[in-house]
Amino acid sequence: MAGTDREDVPSILRGCRFETERLLVQELEPTFARWDVGASSGERSLGLASGVVATMLTEEVTRPLPPHWQGPYSPERAKQWIADLVGDPMTTLLFAVAKEGGSAPDETTRGDAEDLSTASASMVGLVIAFELPEEDSASRRCLRLGYLLSQNFWGQGLASELVKGFVSWCRQRNAEEPQGAIASIVGGVARTNLASKRVLVKNGFRAVCGESQEAHSPEDQEEEEFCLQLLS
Ligand SMILES: CC(C)(COP(=O)(O)OP(=O)(O)OC[C@H]1O[C@@H](n2cnc3c(N)ncnc32)[C@H](O)[C@@H]1OP(=O)(O)O)[C@@H](O)C(=O)NCCC(=O)NCCS
């Protein structure tokens, strides 16, 4: 998506950061700066992020995702995956870290392996948001929302908490601008992905009539769209 005139339009989600009861959610640099004591370098953060993402994007976790995102991931593949998302001016990648645990270890004793293990242990999930211009409005956007959790954290209500926090941040962002900024959030979910549907419905998303028939899995699974309208 890079290379279009969208590069001139700043992302509405730039600098997105929010906290929930159990999670701290923000972009790559501030997330990984936590484990980057001393040698502050973007390249080291990306290297650490690649290792962490490679452990998260297992075959099981990526099964409901589009075919070209299916795992497994080596750190090199994860690095390219991150670079593609971060390099797209209208895509935002957020990292959800458990607030408890995973603090930066003692600077004198730590090494790359310790950092990777500490960061992986506290990395709960990812949010991927794509911004599209809203019809009839140059300034408002529609967001397409994706998310995933590391399998260690499934079934604890954390995906619901993550989406709730993201929606709250979007509402707050709208309150900062008289015309509003984010018109709607849409989540596309494979029909068989009952947990993900439940997460969206619990957060106020409603199934869109005339559902998308787009195929997104090797089994030609149908996708259902759920929408949360934030502005009328
Ligand atoms: C989808 C995903 C994010 C859900 O994570 P999670 O930790 O299970 O989510 P939560 O615990 O917050 O909530 C899941 C809800 O679905 C329900 N649920 C889980 N499995 C279910 C099933 N097979 N059938 C019906 N409901 C189910 C849970 O009971 C819970 O609802 P409740 O709070 O009312 O009890 C996680 O499984 C994941 O990362 N999957 C792989 C990637 C993915 O599918 N991403 C979404 C793409 S659209």
Side-chain angles (χ1 to χ4, degrees):
M1 279 185 259
T4 70
D5 54 5
R6 294 191 326 162
E7 282 171 24
D8 303 331
V9 185
S11 161
I12 270 174
L13 296 175
R14 185 170 296 161
C16 178
R17 178 193 187 282
F18 60 90
E19 287 186 43
T20 66
E21 191 188 338
R22 290 175 287 175
L23 302 171
L24 171 61
V25 185
Q26 51 191 344
E27 291 169 296
L28 186 147
E29 285 295 340
T31 298
F32 287 90
R34 176 183 193 175
W35 293 285
D36 210 7
V37 184
S40 135
S41 114
E43 192 52 41
R44 188 174 184 282
S45 287
L46 181 58
L48 189 53
S50 306
V52 171
V53 166
T55 63
M56 295 175 82
L57 297 184
T58 61
E59 286 175 78
E60 180 78 13
V61 167
T62 55
R63 192 165 295 137
L65 305 181
H68 63 286
W69 276 6
Q70 310 256 316
Y73 279 72
S74 63
E76 290 68 33
R77 187 182 175 200
K79 191 173 189 174
Q80 189 59 52
W81 184 82
I82 294 169
D84 288 347
L85 293 176
V86 172
D88 181 342
M90 290 295 121
T91 299
T92 300
L93 175 62
L94 301 173
F95 294 81
V97 176
K99 281 179 172 176
E100 283 188 17
S103 57
D106 181 343
E107 202 176 337
T108 55
T109 58
R110 52 177 248 169
D112 285 354
E114 286 88 346
D115 285 355
L116 178 57
S117 134
T118 313
S120 293
S122 61
M123 193 61 64
V124 174
L126 301 174
V127 173
I128 304 143
F130 303 94
E131 291 176 42
L132 299 164
E134 194 208 17
E135 277 177 37
D136 309 326
S137 167
S139 57
R140 286 182 179 181
R141 309 283 163 71
C142 297
L143 300 184
R144 191 156 184 103
L145 176 66
Y147 47 84
L148 58 89
L149 257 54
S150 171
Q151 208 171 343
N152 298 336
F153 292 99
W154 287 9
Q156 302 172 38
L158 283 162
S160 310
E161 187 173 318
L162 179 62
V163 172
K164 186 178 179 189
F166 181 76
V167 169
S168 297
W169 186 89
C170 291
R171 289 191 194 281
Q172 207 173 319
R173 180 74 177 76
N174 278 348
E176 287 165 14
E177 290 194 26
Q179 304 300 315
I182 301 163
S184 60
I185 310 173
V186 172
V189 185
R191 285 182 188 283
T192 50
N193 196 345
L194 301 179
S196 187
K197 284 195 212 181
R198 178 87 186 116
V199 166
L200 292 177
V201 168
K202 273 170 58 180
N203 276 294
F205 288 67
R206 296 287 168 260
V208 176
C209 297
E211 297 143 2
S212 160
Q213 301 298 308
E214 204 177 338
H216 270 302
S217 89
E219 295 85 29
D220 203 29
Q221 237 174 9
E222 278 182 14
E223 190 180 88
E224 199 171 351
E225 285 196 338
F226 288 80
C227 181
L228 178 65
Q229 201 69 37
L230 296 182
L231 300 171
S232 50

